[in-house]
C-alpha cells in the first residue's frame, strides 16, 4: 500500500510542471500586432477619389499629393470609370488633413508644361508628376473631386479684385498672361471666352492687392503683344511693357487722363479692353476739349494719334481722321475732310483754356496748320496758333463742335526753292566780298539740302545752313538798313527766318536726341530749350 501511494505521489508531482516561456513570444507578437493594427486604423487619414481626364505620369503607390511642397497624401489605386472615359484615383490622405477637403478644393496634375504663360513643372523632371491641392473656402466636406485640366491662374488664397472686360481686337490673351502697370506685374488673366453672339472676346482678370488702389475712372486698359513696332505719325515707335510682356504679351493699364483717385472705377460692368496703347490714348483724349479741324482735299499723314501742338508744346492728339457722321459726306462734299481732335487738358485750367479758345474762335484768330513732326514724315501733325488780325481764320461748326479750317501746307523744300529764286534775282554787286561769301555759303547749304534725297545728309546740312545764315545776318547788321540792298533782302530774310523757325524743333532734337528726328520723340516728351531761348 505504501509503495502505491508513493508511486501516485510521484505521478502527481510530475503533472504540476510550469508552462514554458517559449509560448509567450508568439502571444506577445500577436498582441503587439493587434495593437499596431488598431492604432494604424485609428490614425489613418481620410480616403478620397479624384476623377482625372488622363492618368499619364500617375503610378499607384508612388504618386504624391502635395500642398506648398508638403506631402499630404498618396495615390493608392488607379482605375477607369464605368464609361472608360476617365481615370479614377483612390487617394489616401495624411491624418489631420480633413480641413483641406472642402467641396470647392481643387486638384490638378503638376507636370512639365510649355504654354503661352511660360514653362512650368520643371521640378517634376526628376521627382515625377504629382497632384497639387488648393484648399477651398467652403465649410462643407467632400470625398469625391474632379481634377482640373490645367493649373488655375489664381490660387484661392490670393487677395485682390476681379474685373470683367470685353474686346473687339484681333489680338488674343490667354489665361495666365500678366497684367502690367508701368513695367510691374500686378495681376494675371484668369479666363478668355469668345462671345459667339457679337464676336467679342470676354476676359476675366485679377488685379492683386495693393495694386487695386491704382485703378480709378481715368484708367484705360490695352493689350500688349510683346515688343510693338509701329510706324506712327510721330515716326517709328518701339514699345514694351516688361520682360513678361516681351516674352508672351499680356495686358497693361495706366491712368491716361490724370490721377483722379476720387473717381472710382466701375467694377460692376464690363470694361473695354483696347487693342493698343494708341487706341486707349485716343479714348482718353475724348474726355478732353474736343474740336474739329477741316483739311482741304487731302489728309496727308494725319491719322489717329497725330500730335496737336501749340507753340511747339504738345497739347492733344487726333482722335479720328476722318471723322464723318456718315461716309455719304465723303462723296457728297469733297472740299474738306473733318478731323476730330482732343486737347488733353484735365486740370483746373481746363475751363480757362476752353474760354480762351471760344473767344479766339469768335474773333477768327485761332488758326490751324499742318506741319511735320520729323523730317521723314511730312505734314503729320497739326499746329494751333493765334493770328493778330481779327477774322484771319474764320471758324464754322461741325457736328456740334468748333471747326477750324487748316491752311494748305507748303513743304520746306518748296519754300527753300522759292527763297533761292528770290536770292538769284538780287543784284549782289557793290557788297563786300565777305558778305557775298557768307551769303553764298548759306545758299550752297540750302540748295544742297533741297537736292539731297538722303535723310542722314539732310540732317547734317541743318546745322551748316543755320550757321551760315547766322553769319550772314551778323555781317548784314553793319549795312545801312535804308540801303537799296538791305531793302531788297528784308522780305527774303523774313522768309528765311520763318523757315528756320519751323526747322528749329528739328535742330533742337538733333542736339538733344538725334534719333528722334527719324524715330520721333517719345510721347509727351518735352524738348528742353537752350539758355536764353
Amino acid at each position: 500500500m505504501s509503495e502505491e501511494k508513493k508511486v501516485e505521489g510521484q505521478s502527481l508531482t510530475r503533472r504540476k510542471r510550469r508552462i514554458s516561456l517559449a509560448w509567450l513570444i508568439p502571444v506577445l507578437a500577436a498582441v503587439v500586432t493587434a495593437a499596431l493594427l488598431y492604432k494604424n486604423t485609428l490614425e489613418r487619414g481620410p480616403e478620397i477619389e479624384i476623377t482625372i481626364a488622363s492618368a499619364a505620369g500617375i503610378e499607384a503607390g508612388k504618386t504624391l499629393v502635395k500642398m506648398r511642397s508638403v506631402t499630404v497624401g498618396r495615390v493608392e489605386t488607379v482605375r477607369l470609370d464605368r464609361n472608360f472615359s476617365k481615370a479614377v484615383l483612390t487617394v489616401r490622405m495624411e491624418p489631420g488633413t480633413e480641413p483641406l477637403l472642402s467641396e470647392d478644393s481643387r486638384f490638378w496634375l503638376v507636370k512639365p508644361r510649355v504654354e503661352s504663360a511660360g514653362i512650368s513643372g520643371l521640378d517634376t523632371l526628376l521627382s515625377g508628376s504629382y497632384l497639387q491641392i488648393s484648399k477651398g473656402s467652403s465649410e462643407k466636406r467632400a470625398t469625391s473631386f474632379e481634377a482640373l485640366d490645367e493649373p488655375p491662374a489664381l490660387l484661392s488664397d490670393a487677395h485682390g479684385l476681379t474685373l470683367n472686360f470685353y474686346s473687339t481686337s484681333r489680338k488674343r490673351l490667354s489665361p495666365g498672361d500678366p497684367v502690367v502697370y508701368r513695367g510691374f506685374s500686378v495681376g494675371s488673366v484668369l479666363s478668355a471666352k469668345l462671345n459667339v453672339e457679337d464676336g467679342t472676346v470676354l476676359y476675366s482678370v485679377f488685379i492683386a492687392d495693393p495694386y487695386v488702389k491704382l485703378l480709378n475712372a481715368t484708367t484705360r486698359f490695352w493689350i500688349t503683344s510683346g515688343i510693338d513696332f509701329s510706324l506712327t505719325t510721330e515716326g517709328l515707335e518701339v514699345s514694351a511693357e516688361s520682360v513678361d510682356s516681351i516674352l508672351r504679351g499680356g495686358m497693361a493699364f495706366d491712368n491716361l487722363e490724370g490721377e483722379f483717385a476720387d473717381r472710382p472705377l466701375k467694377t460692376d460692368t464690363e470694361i473695354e479692353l483696347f487693342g493698343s496703347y494708341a487706341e486707349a490714348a485716343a479714348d482718353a483724349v475724348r474726355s478732353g476739349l474736343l474740336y474739329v479741324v477741316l483739311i482741304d482735299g487731302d489728309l496727308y499723314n494725319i491719322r489717329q494719334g497725330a500730335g496737336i501742338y501749340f507753340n511747339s508744346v504738345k497739347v492733344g492728339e487726333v482722335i479720328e481722321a476722318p471723322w464723318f457722321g456718315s461716309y455719304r459726306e465723303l462723296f457728297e462734299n469733297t472740299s474738306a475732310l473733318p478731323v476730330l481732335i482732343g486737347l488733353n487738358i484735365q486740370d483746373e485750367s481746363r475751363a480757362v483754356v476752353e474760354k480762351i479758345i471760344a473767344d479766339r474762335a469768335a474773333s477768327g484768330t485761332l488758326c490751324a496748320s499742318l506741319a511735320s513732326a520729323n523730317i521723314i514724315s511730312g505734314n503729320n501733325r497739326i499746329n494751333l496758333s493765334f493770328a493778330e488780325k481779327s477774322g484771319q481764320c474764320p471758324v464754322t461748326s461741325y457736328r456740334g463742335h468748333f471747326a477750324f479750317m487748316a491752311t494748305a501746307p507748303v513743304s520746306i523744300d518748296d519754300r527753300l526753292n522759292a527763297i533761292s529764286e528770290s536770292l538769284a534775282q538780287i543784284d549782289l554787286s557793290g557788297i563786300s566780298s565777305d558778305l557775298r561769301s557768307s551769303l553764298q555759303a548759306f545758299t550752297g547749304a540750302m540748295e544742297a539740302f533741297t537736292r539731297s534725297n538722303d535723310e542722314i545728309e539732310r540732317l547734317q546740312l541743318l546745322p551748316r545752313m543755320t550757321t551760315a545764315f547766322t553769319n550772314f545776318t551778323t555781317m548784314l547788321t553793319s549795312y545801312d538798313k535804308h540801303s537799296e540792298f538791305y531793302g531788297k533782302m528784308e522780305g527774303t530774310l523774313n522768309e528765311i527766318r520763318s523757315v528756320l523757325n519751323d526747322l528749329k524743333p528739328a535742330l533742337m532734337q538733333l542736339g538733344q536726341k538725334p534719333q528722334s528726328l527719324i524715330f520721333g520723340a517719345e510721347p509727351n516728351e518735352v524738348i528742353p530749350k537752350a539758355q536764353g531761348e
Side-chain angles (χ1 to χ4, degrees), residues 222 224-230 237-242 245-246 277:
W222 65 91
T224 60
S225 53
I227 302 178
D228 287 331
F229 294 89
S230 57
E237 289 188 356
V238 182
S239 62
E241 297 293 335
S242 66
S245 64
I246 292 175
Y277 170 82

Side-chain angles (χ1 to χ4, degrees), residues 393-443:
C393 301
V395 64
T396 60
S397 177
Y398 182 82
R399 297 176 65 180
H401 300 284
F402 285 126
F404 309 96
M405 178 64 70
T407 57
V410 179
S411 69
I412 294 294
D413 288 354
D414 291 340
R415 295 169 67 183
L416 290 177
N417 287 330
I419 292 172
S420 296
E421 294 177 2
S422 298
L423 291 175
Q425 297 175 5
I426 297 176
D427 184 9
L428 301 180
S429 60
I431 64 174
S432 66
S433 57
D434 291 339
L435 184 60
R436 184 183 296 108
S437 297
S438 63
L439 180 59
Q440 290 174 348
F442 169 72
T443 56

